[in-house]
Amino acid sequence: MKIPNEKVVGGLACSEVLDLLSGYLDGELSERDRSQVEEHLRGCDGCARFGGEFRATVESLREHLLAATVVPPPRVQERLREALARER
């Protein structure tokens, strides 16, 4: 995706940073890619702002939704057990 008036900072264009942002937040990038993303974020106010908002959203989701313990209703649990037993 091409972004109007995108900048190239740290060897990466804004669109490339957006493609790498999830991996960056998850700690999945190589040292080189991580370094380039960080350099870009230091030099591009738009990406830094978006990156900060994206980070806050991801952290909030992890804290409130993904970390929550969800216990399915008893009937769903039973159906899952039955399905798993059939798979064996």
Side-chain angles (χ1 to χ4, degrees):
M1 163 178 70
K2 190 77 168 156
I3 298 173
N5 302 317
E6 73 179 327
K7 296 163 90 174
V8 176
V9 179
L12 294 175
C14 297
S15 56
E16 294 172 301
V17 170
L18 292 179
D19 288 342
L20 295 170
L21 203 51
S22 288
Y24 173 73
L25 293 177
D26 292 339
E28 298 173 345
L29 298 184
S30 68
E31 178 66 28
R32 179 180 176 272
D33 287 344
R34 183 187 59 75
S35 179
Q36 285 184 298
V37 168
E38 289 174 350
E39 185 176 344
H40 185 96
L41 293 174
R42 283 191 298 273
C44 180
D45 292 337
C47 285
R49 234 181 349 271
F50 178 81
E53 292 170 7
F54 188 70
R55 176 188 296 272
T57 301
V58 168
E59 288 175 354
S60 180
L61 286 170
R62 286 179 178 155
E63 181 181 335
H64 294 99
L65 295 178
L66 301 179
T69 301
V70 177
V71 178
R75 179 67 186 130
V76 173
Q77 291 179 38
E78 180 60 31
R79 289 174 55 201
L80 286 170
R81 278 192 283 279
E82 290 169 0
L84 288 171
R86 284 192 302 270
E87 292 293 319
R88 293 182 188 163

